[in-house]
Every structure is written in structure tokens, then in C-alpha cells.
């Protein structure tokens, strides 16, 4: 059995939407049992939208990658409900001056006593005060 890690949306998106950190993100996912928050569905959909709207990526290609992302979340990850994490996320957001969206992933890592993996430097800096974290860059 692999160790658990909490993946934020930046890592999940990087697995399916090619970028500099894609290889490392995929390696982490393949070698760990993955946990995420249901917010990841909306956030990866936003990545797909940005790819098709802002970078000119083919809309259908982005939609297919989005389908792969959501299948990964649904089939591979343990998905925690944001509603269950909101009180802790709010406190973490206020204490560490990060968005509640980011704090949801941090709250998940705290609840599961698992490392947080992110590509977000600000989230990494806040998280490393509380849990083990890995910044993928």
C-alpha cells in the first residue's frame, strides 16, 4: 500500500493538461494513494475553460482532457466533501491569509494526517507550518 497524499487541483490538472510539472505530478499520483476535495472538479473544469478560451487550445481536446481529469478524481482519488471541511478551512484561511479554496485542501491534509502536494507557492508556505507538504515546480 502506498502512502496517502492530498493533491490540490493544480497537481491534478497538470497530470492531464501538459505543462512543466506534468511529469512530476504524474509520478506522485502513481506512487501514492490520492486524496482530494470535491472542489477539484470545478477547479479542473476552470483549467479546461482557460485552455480553450485563453490559449486557443481546441475546445473538444480540452473537454476530453477534462473528462480524463474528472475520471481520475472519481475513480482514483478519495474525494472529501468541501462542506465537511469548511469550518476548519475558514479558520486556516483566516490564520494563514490564504483563500478558503486553498485552505480546503490544507484542511483535508490536516484531517487525513497526510502530506499536501501543490504547485501553489503561497499555499505551500502556509501548509508547511502545519503539515508535511511538497511544492512541485
Amino acid at each position: 500500500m502506498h502512502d496517502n497524499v492530498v493533491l490540490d487541483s493544480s497537481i491534478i490538472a497538470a497530470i492531464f493538461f501538459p505543462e512543466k510539472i506534468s511529469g512530476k505530478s504524474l509520478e506522485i499520483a502513481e506512487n501514492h494513494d490520492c486524496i482530494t476535495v470535491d472542489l477539484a472538479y470545478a477547479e479542473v473544469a476552470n483549467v479546461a475553460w482557460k485552455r480553450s478560451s485563453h490559449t486557443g487550445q481546441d475546445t473538444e481536446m480540452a473537454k476530453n482532457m477534462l473528462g480524463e481529469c474528472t475520471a481520475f478524481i472519481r475513480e482514483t482519488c478519495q474525494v472529501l466533501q468541501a462542506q465537511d471541511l469548511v469550518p476548519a478551512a475558514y479558520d486556516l484561511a483566516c490564520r494563514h491569509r490564504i483563500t478558503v479554496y486553498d485552505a480546503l485542501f490544507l484542511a483535508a491534509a490536516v484531517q487525513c494526517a497526510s502530506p499536501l502536494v501543490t504547485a501553489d507557492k503561497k499555499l505551500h508556505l502556509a501548509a508547511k507550518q502545519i503539515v508535511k507538504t511538497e511544492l512541485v515546480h
Side-chain angles (χ1 to χ4, degrees):
M1 180 174 207
H2 301 298
D3 292 332
N4 291 337
V5 293
V6 173
L7 303 179
D8 79 351
S9 302
S10 65
I11 299 302
I12 296 169
I15 295 169
F16 298 95
F17 293 90
E19 59 181 281
K20 186 177 87 169
I21 65 167
S22 293
K24 180 68 175 169
S25 298
L26 179 59
E27 179 184 323
I28 289 167
E30 288 177 337
N31 291 304
H32 294 86
D33 291 327
C34 301
I35 302 166
T36 197
V37 179
D38 61 356
L39 174 64
Y41 286 111
E43 290 192 331
V44 299
N46 201 56
V47 170
W49 170 77
K50 282 183 177 180
R51 290 288 178 107
S52 64
S53 296
H54 298 311
T55 67
Q57 184 169 24
D58 179 73
T59 302
E60 283 305 307
M61 182 181 291
K63 188 175 180 179
N64 288 338
M65 289 181 202
L66 173 59
E68 292 175 17
C69 267
T70 59
F72 170 82
I73 294 167
R74 183 180 59 254
E75 297 167 11
T76 304
C77 298
Q78 174 188 348
V79 181
L80 303 179
Q81 300 299 304
Q83 67 185 12
D84 298 333
L85 299 167
V86 165
Y90 178 80
D91 290 343
L92 289 165
C94 291
R95 190 175 318 123
H96 297 283
R97 303 186 55 80
I98 58 175
T99 67
V100 172
Y101 304 114
D102 288 344
L104 285 165
F105 294 95
L106 178 51
V110 170
Q111 178 178 303
C112 296
S114 298
L116 174 65
V117 182
T118 183
D120 181 324
K121 187 174 183 179
K122 186 173 182 180
L123 176 56
H124 166 72
L125 292 173
K128 75 178 190 173
Q129 300 173 43
I130 303 164
V131 296
K132 184 176 177 186
T133 181
E134 182 172 348
L135 177 63
V136 179
H137 57 320

